[in-house]
């Protein structure tokens, strides 16, 4: 029941703020709500590979994921990892990593369940994260 409350609150808040139409619904079932920012909006927001929201049924760790770029040149991997390490040390909220598929990714985990989940806080984190990760993206793209 708690999962459906979080899912409903987030969708309601996105609709109230006019942001729901900026997302494609990738999954909306009893296991997960997963939304992805539409490509045209991603271009406006800093041309990310992907920006997605995940609200899982199995956990109170709700996430905002920013796929910054794909690392095509493994020779630059060490430079990118050093930069991500620096940003990971500087941030309490956003964590940066490279996936096994070589996507350079940033993630914000929003811990919220029951009455502790706020759709407005979640959207605020999404928007603030876009600005912060955009600055990091510029530094990463300079390396790439």
């Amino acid at each position: 029941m708690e999962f459906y409350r979080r899912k409903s609150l987030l969708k309601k808040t996105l609709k109230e703020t006019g942001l729901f139409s900026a997302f494609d619904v990738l999954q909306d079932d009893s296991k997960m709500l997963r939304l992805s920012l539409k490509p045209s909006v991603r271009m406006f927001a800093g041309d990310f590979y992907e920006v997605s929201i995940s609200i899982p049924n199995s956990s109170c760790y709700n996430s905002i994921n920013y796929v910054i770029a794909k690392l095509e040149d493994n020779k630059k991997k060490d430079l990118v990892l050093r930069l991500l390490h620096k940003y990971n040390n500087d941030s309490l909220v956003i964590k940066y990593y490279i996936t096994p598929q070589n996507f350079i990714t940033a993630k914000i985990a929003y811990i919220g369940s029951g009455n502790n989940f706020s759709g407005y806080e979640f959207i605020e984190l999404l928007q603030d994260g876009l600005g912060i990760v955009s600055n990091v993206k510029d530094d990463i793209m300079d390396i790439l």
Side-chain angles (χ1 to χ4, degrees), residues 17 21 24 26 34 36 90 92:
T17 57
S21 62
D24 288 323
L26 301 179
R34 189 157 184 265
S36 179
D90 292 345
L92 296 174

Side-chain angles (χ1 to χ4, degrees), residues 3-142:
F3 164 67
Y4 293 103
R5 183 181 177 288
R6 284 184 289 144
K7 193 166 89 159
S8 175
L9 269 174
L10 180 61
K11 286 170 40 175
K12 178 182 175 201
T13 306
L14 285 168
K15 287 175 183 172
E16 285 175 1
T17 57
L19 293 173
F20 191 76
S21 62
F23 289 89
D24 288 323
V25 178
L26 301 179
Q27 183 177 352
D28 186 358
D29 56 26
S30 62
K31 295 179 183 178
M32 170 87 66
L33 172 65
R34 189 157 184 265
L35 308 172
S36 179
L37 207 56
K38 291 181 178 178
S40 59
V41 179
R42 285 196 314 263
M43 267 181 71
F44 178 72
D47 203 17
F48 287 93
Y49 223 80
E50 180 182 16
V51 177
S52 64
I53 294 171
S54 297
I55 307 290
N57 186 356
S58 60
S59 171
C60 64
Y61 290 91
N62 312 283
S63 65
I64 303 165
N65 304 289
Y66 307 88
V67 180
I68 298 167
K70 184 161 187 183
L71 183 63
E72 302 290 347
D73 184 355
N74 274 334
K75 294 176 185 176
K76 296 182 179 183
K77 191 170 191 172
D78 284 338
L79 291 171
V80 172
L81 283 170
R82 274 189 253 143
L83 181 64
L84 297 182
H85 180 72
K86 174 193 173 294
Y87 280 113
N88 280 335
N89 287 336
D90 292 345
S91 178
L92 296 174
V93 177
I94 303 173
K95 293 301 169 196
Y96 300 89
Y97 58 96
I98 299 175
T99 69
Q101 298 81 20
N102 276 347
F103 286 106
I104 302 166
T105 305
K107 182 176 190 170
I108 297 175
Y110 176 81
I111 303 168
S113 61
N115 292 330
N116 294 328
F117 184 89
S118 167
Y120 291 102
E121 282 180 4
F122 194 86
I123 290 172
E124 203 170 300
L125 274 174
L126 169 72
Q127 292 171 327
D128 290 347
L130 275 172
I132 294 167
V133 175
S134 287
N135 291 333
V136 173
K137 181 182 184 283
D138 291 341
D139 292 346
I140 290 169
M141 297 314 287
D142 286 345

